[in-house]
């Protein structure tokens, strides 16, 4: 093994350690907070659910990162996974339309289903992944339109936030597709 390969492997390992270390800290923060305030009151289920979400997001990113050395593709996967993670967490914790009890919030799981189905159909091809993220962004925006038509508060700032994240992921996947197309010519 050459020195360059050792350095590259070490950089990847540092990023993995940083990623999983951050996940562990995120899981510890509520536990630590519970020792100092009554405002944070997590049950065992909350910790299991959050830990499962962190593990699923981290594991999925690990798979995406191992599939390609392309930084744009990895960044796109990271952005999409972060958006999905935050969407699930915010929607489950406080709700986006009204509160977490509002059944209209179930539409956001449809948004995620569109993203997941699109990613599966894309078979990890960056161009198709870009289109899947655009479809996810459109679905996210449609939830706001449906909520508005139904007379609910669609929470436009949150909608814009998530649409932007899906669009950034689409742009990065598209960039990856352009770069891979250049390399094959």
């Amino acid at each position: 093994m050459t020195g360059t390969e050792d350095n590259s492997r070490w950089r990847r390992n540092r990023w993995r350690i940083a990623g999983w270390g951050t996940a562990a800290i995120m899981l510890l923060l509520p536990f630590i907070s519970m020792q100092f305030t009554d405002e944070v009151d997590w049950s065992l289920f909350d910790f299991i659910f959050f830990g499962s979400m962190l593990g699923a997001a981290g594991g999925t990113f690990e798979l995406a990162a191992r599939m390609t050395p392309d930084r744009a593709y990895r960044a796109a996967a990271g952005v999409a996974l972060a958006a999905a993670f935050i969407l699930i967490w915010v929607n489950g914790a406080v709700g986006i339309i009204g509160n977490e009890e509002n059944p209209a919030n179930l539409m956001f799981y449809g948004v995620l289903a569109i993203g997941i189905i699109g990613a599966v159909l894309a078979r990890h091809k960056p161009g198709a992944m870009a289109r899947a993220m655009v479809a996810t962004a459109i679905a996210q925006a449609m939830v706001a339109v449906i909520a508005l038509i139904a007379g609910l508060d669609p929470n436009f700032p949150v909608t814009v936030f998530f649409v932007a994240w899906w669009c950034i992921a689409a742009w990065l996947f598209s960039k990856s597709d352009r770069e891979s197309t250049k390399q094959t010519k």
Side-chain angles (χ1 to χ4, degrees):
M1 191 175 318
T2 68
T4 304
E5 289 175 22
D6 284 340
N7 288 340
S8 177
R9 180 172 285 155
W10 171 242
R11 271 195 306 276
R12 283 193 309 263
N13 285 337
R14 285 193 313 197
W15 280 109
R16 289 183 72 211
I17 291 167
W20 288 110
T22 301
I25 289 169
M26 288 175 65
L27 192 56
L28 280 173
L29 283 175
F31 178 76
I32 293 168
S33 297
M34 287 173 54
Q35 309 310 308
F36 299 104
T37 180
D38 292 333
E39 295 293 317
V40 179
D41 185 24
W42 280 30
S43 67
L44 178 61
F45 175 77
D46 292 329
F47 282 101
I48 291 170
F49 183 72
F50 191 60
S52 298
M53 285 179 52
L54 289 168
T60 303
F61 182 76
E62 287 264 350
L63 288 173
R66 288 177 189 234
M67 287 177 15
T68 180
D70 185 345
R71 289 182 181 179
Y73 190 98
R74 289 178 176 187
V79 168
L81 287 166
F85 182 90
I86 295 167
L87 182 61
I88 292 168
W89 189 250
V90 169
N91 196 38
V94 295
I96 296 172
I97 299 173
N99 63 28
E100 70 273 13
E101 301 292 326
N102 191 331
N105 284 310
L106 294 174
M107 291 188 287
F108 294 108
Y109 298 113
V111 170
L112 294 172
I114 287 170
I116 292 168
I117 291 167
V120 168
L121 293 175
R123 300 180 64 166
H124 312 294
K125 294 179 180 138
M129 290 293 289
R131 290 186 293 279
M133 293 299 102
V134 168
T136 306
I138 291 168
Q140 185 84 45
M142 289 306 301
V143 168
V145 170
I146 292 166
L148 190 62
I149 290 170
L152 302 169
D153 176 16
N155 201 331
F156 285 115
V158 173
T159 298
V160 169
F161 171 82
F162 284 109
V163 167
W165 278 59
W166 300 125
C167 288
I168 290 167
W171 175 75
L172 287 166
F173 278 124
S174 180
K175 181 179 180 195
S176 173
D177 186 47
R178 287 189 307 273
E179 289 171 5
S180 66
T181 303
K182 285 180 190 175
Q183 291 175 358
T184 57
K185 286 185 178 182

